[in-house]
């Protein structure tokens, strides 16, 4: 990227950004929630739209001069509707957690009971963890994955739902590798009179790319980030049935937020435009093929994979039978230029700061054009690093792969 004005005006920030760009170029990014946006998305984000205030919605703003902002927001909405077959879309949510806050705000009152997946089983902080607003404001009860299979036990979900009678059931997760039985969740929710809320922050790009089942036509309300597999700017959106459109929009503004970030809305529109192209289907397919190859190669090398494999972009490696914890593995891999995140495994006996697993994801590497051949090599490098093979040699091999597969920016 070209930062000529920044370089002239503010050396300190310029240097930090430039070094970060180098880091991103020279490292293999396996953090499952990260990705690389296109230059077009980046240009929209860096546009003059950041100067505008536009509280309200298209055609109903509290500031003048918003005709073109209305066009941009309507484009983003139109494209999102097409991507996910949504009846109604709010593209103003600033990020995943605030989007979830708005969803709860739209459908619940403080103290209401909500059923969500336990965090160490793959859920998200905003699905009822006690340190998060969600756990403080609402009465969350939690379901788990089956300790034997690592899959969500839907009969158990039904049993807990019948007993607890929650007002809302949340599905959609941060560290769960398997397809989700959206219809079954809906059946259970209908039986007990609960709202259905899907948080597809991680898998939205795979759903948009038609490789995973879409909950949007089934569920009452769906939130997603736009910056993970969907490969857009850092942000979020909320999709819902038309009958809930007013309460959702009012929860976002004026309920939770002030002015929307119009430059980000423009970048969302650009990213959704990219995701509507045929090659995004190929991208989503390859993300999953790469994750499955990674899982297969690691199993061959003697690693335990939670649930025994993956249907999506992520692989949770259970290191509890190895001589290394999740945190140390993360630090060691960072030394050779492989970025991963520590992760809890279901029923983890270790604390979240140093859990028993690592979570690997393939969206970013796939955006660089890597395929099974590179993934196989990568599994080898990970295994060698975790077995304390020569760090300098591994680092050099990582650099060589990075040189061949450039970031999608210019
Ligand atoms: C990443 C994630 C979020 C939070 O998104 P932020 O933009 O980081 O606030 C919410 N829910 C799930 C399931 C996620 O994976």
């Amino acid at each position: 990227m070209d930062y000529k004005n920044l370089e002239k005006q503010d050396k300190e920030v310029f240097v930090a950004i430039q070094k970060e760009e180098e880091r991103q170029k020279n490292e293999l990014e396996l953090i499952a929630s990260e990705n690389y946006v296109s230059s077009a998305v980046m240009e929209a984000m860096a546009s003059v739209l950041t100067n505008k205030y536009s509280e309200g919605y298209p055609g109903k703003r509290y500031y003048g001069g918003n005709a073109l902002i209305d066009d941009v927001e309507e484009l983003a909405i139109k494209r999102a509707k097409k991507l996910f077959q949504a009846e109604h879309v709010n593209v103003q949510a600033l990020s995943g957690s605030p989007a979830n806050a708005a969803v709860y705000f739209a459908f619940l009152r403080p103290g209401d009971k909500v059923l969500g997946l336990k965090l160490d089983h793959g859920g998200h902080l905003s699905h009822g963890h006690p340190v998060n607003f969600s756990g403080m404001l609402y009465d969350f009860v939690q379901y788990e994955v089956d300790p034997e299979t690592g899959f969500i036990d839907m009969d158990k979900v039904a049993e807990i739902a019948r007993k607890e009678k929650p007002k809302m059931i949340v599905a959609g997760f941060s560290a769960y590798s398997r397809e989700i039985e959206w219809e079954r969740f809906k059946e259970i929710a209908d039986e007990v009179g609960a709202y259905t809320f899907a948080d597809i922050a991680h898998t939205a790009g795979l759903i948009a790319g038609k490789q995973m089942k879409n909950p949007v036509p089934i569920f009452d309300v769906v939130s997603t980030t736009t910056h993970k597999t969907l490969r857009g700017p850092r942000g979020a959106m909320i999709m819902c049935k038309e009958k809930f459109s007013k309460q959702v929009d009012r929860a976002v503004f004026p309920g939770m937020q002030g002015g929307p970030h119009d430059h980000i809305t423009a970048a969302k529109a650009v990213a959704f435009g990219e995701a509507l192209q045929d090659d995004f289907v190929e991208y989503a397919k390859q993300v999953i093929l790469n994750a499955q190859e990674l899982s297969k190669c690691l199993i061959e090398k003697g690693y335990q994979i939670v649930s025994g494999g993956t249907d999506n972009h992520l692989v949770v490696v259970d290191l509890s039978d190895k001589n290394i914890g999740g945190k140390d593995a993360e630090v060691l891999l960072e030394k050779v230029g492989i970025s991963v995140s520590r992760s809890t495994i279901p029923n983890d006996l270790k604390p979240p700061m140093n859990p028993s697993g690592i979570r690997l994801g393939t969206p970013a590497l796939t955006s660089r054009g890597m395929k099974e051949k590179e993934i196989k090599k990568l599994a080898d490098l990970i295994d060698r690093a975790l077995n304390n093979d020569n760090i300098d040699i591994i680092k050099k091999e990582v650099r060589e792969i990075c040189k061949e597969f450039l970031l999608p920016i210019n």
Side-chain angles (χ1 to χ4, degrees):
M1 289 279 289
D2 185 8
Y3 307 102
K4 57 182 186 298
N5 293 293
L6 186 61
E7 182 175 11
K8 231 184 284 164
Q9 183 182 318
D10 192 327
K11 274 272 166 353
E12 285 160 293
V13 173
F14 167 74
V15 167
I17 291 177
Q18 221 193 16
K19 284 189 174 158
E20 170 62 12
E21 190 172 316
E22 285 307 305
R23 185 193 71 81
Q24 291 188 14
K25 284 178 178 162
N26 292 328
E27 288 188 359
L28 290 175
E29 186 55 73
L30 277 156
I31 293 177
S33 50
E34 295 189 10
N35 211 335
Y36 305 112
V37 299
S38 69
S39 293
V41 167
M42 204 108 68
E43 282 171 13
M45 263 193 278
S47 68
V48 293
L49 269 60
T50 192
N51 298 334
K52 194 71 196 94
Y53 241 109
S54 40
E55 280 178 358
Y57 290 101
K60 294 167 290 200
R61 305 284 188 184
Y62 291 81
Y63 292 81
N66 271 307
L68 299 165
I69 299 298
D70 281 3
D71 290 349
V72 167
E73 189 165 332
E74 273 165 355
L75 258 180
I77 291 168
K78 189 175 92 185
R79 291 176 183 173
K81 280 184 177 173
K82 192 163 173 209
L83 260 187
F84 292 96
Q85 297 144 49
E87 290 181 14
H88 179 78
V89 182
N90 183 308
V91 292
Q92 295 191 5
L94 300 179
S95 213
S97 290
N100 290 353
V103 169
Y104 298 139
F105 196 48
F107 287 86
L108 306 171
R109 288 169 179 275
D112 277 350
K113 193 172 274 185
V114 187
L115 183 55
L117 181 66
K118 219 174 172 180
L119 183 71
D120 71 350
H121 287 234
H124 188 260
L125 280 170
S126 61
H127 298 179
H129 195 277
V131 301
N132 184 265
F133 77 90
S134 54
M136 296 176 199
L137 283 181
Y138 305 100
D139 178 16
F140 267 84
V141 282
Q142 302 197 291
Y143 56 94
E144 304 185 349
V145 299
D146 181 311
E148 293 301 314
T149 63
F151 284 61
I152 290 167
D153 181 344
M154 294 306 296
D155 292 336
K156 262 283 179 41
V157 175
E159 195 185 307
I160 301 172
R162 281 181 203 122
K163 179 166 154 259
E164 299 283 353
K165 301 258 179 312
K167 196 159 171 205
M168 171 182 271
I169 298 179
V170 187
F173 319 106
S174 296
Y176 184 70
S177 321
R178 295 303 182 172
E179 184 58 272
I180 297 168
E181 297 179 54
W182 304 112
E183 281 100 352
R184 186 79 203 282
F185 270 109
K186 174 71 175 152
E187 272 170 36
I188 294 168
D190 284 347
E191 188 190 323
V192 301
Y195 292 118
T196 42
F197 169 29
D199 177 353
I200 56 170
H202 260 269
T203 50
L206 307 178
I207 292 166
K210 302 183 171 62
Q211 303 305 308
M212 294 194 81
K213 287 187 205 151
N214 182 10
V216 176
I218 305 168
F219 270 42
D220 295 321
V221 59
V222 177
S223 73
T224 181
T225 59
T226 46
H227 50 273
K228 296 181 184 175
T229 50
L230 200 48
R231 221 164 63 184
R234 197 152 282 279
M237 68 172 153
I238 302 171
M239 298 171 270
C240 66
K241 296 281 176 232
E242 188 59 43
K243 64 180 170 186
F244 301 121
S245 60
K246 281 209 173 63
Q247 71 199 67
V248 164
D249 282 350
R250 281 170 55 187
V252 174
F253 174 83
M256 288 272 312
Q257 297 182 180
H261 294 185
D262 297 319
H263 57 310
I264 299 296
T265 304
K268 285 173 186 170
V270 175
F272 300 159
E274 291 176 358
L276 283 166
Q277 304 304 310
D278 292 341
D279 59 2
F280 197 81
V281 171
E282 292 310 310
Y283 168 71
K285 218 179 261 175
Q286 192 64 48
V287 166
I288 297 175
L289 287 174
N290 284 350
Q292 289 173 338
E293 179 71 14
L294 183 60
S295 167
K296 186 185 113 215
C297 293
L298 289 172
I299 289 170
E300 280 167 12
K301 291 178 188 303
Y303 290 87
Q304 307 255 19
I305 305 299
V306 173
S307 88
T310 182
D311 298 329
N312 60 24
H313 62 301
L314 66 86
V315 177
V316 182
V317 186
D318 176 352
L319 296 169
S320 56
D321 62 344
K322 304 277 175 203
N323 286 326
I324 188 161
K327 183 180 156 203
D328 292 334
E330 179 190 299
V331 171
L332 189 58
L333 289 167
E334 190 170 343
K335 282 196 188 131
V336 300
I338 298 174
S339 284
V340 308
S341 46
R342 69 192 77 171
S343 174
T344 52
I345 56 165
N347 304 308
D348 208 324
L349 297 172
K350 293 191 176 163
M353 269 310 284
N354 188 17
S356 302
I358 48 174
R359 191 187 64 175
L360 313 175
T362 53
L365 297 186
T366 310
S367 293
R368 285 176 92 147
M370 293 182 203
K371 297 209 161 102
E372 288 91 333
K373 178 167 162 254
E374 292 73 37
I375 297 296
K376 199 170 168 162
K377 168 86 184 155
L378 172 68
D380 193 47
L381 294 172
I382 291 173
D383 180 48
R384 279 164 53 199
L386 293 179
N387 284 304
N388 288 306
D389 204 357
N390 187 315
I391 292 220
D392 293 328
I393 294 177
I394 302 173
K395 194 169 177 174
K396 234 176 86 196
E397 291 179 44
V398 167
R399 282 283 172 100
E400 268 157 32
I401 302 176
C402 290
K403 260 190 236 145
E404 199 182 329
F405 294 89
L406 304 179
L407 298 194
I409 52 166
N410 49 45

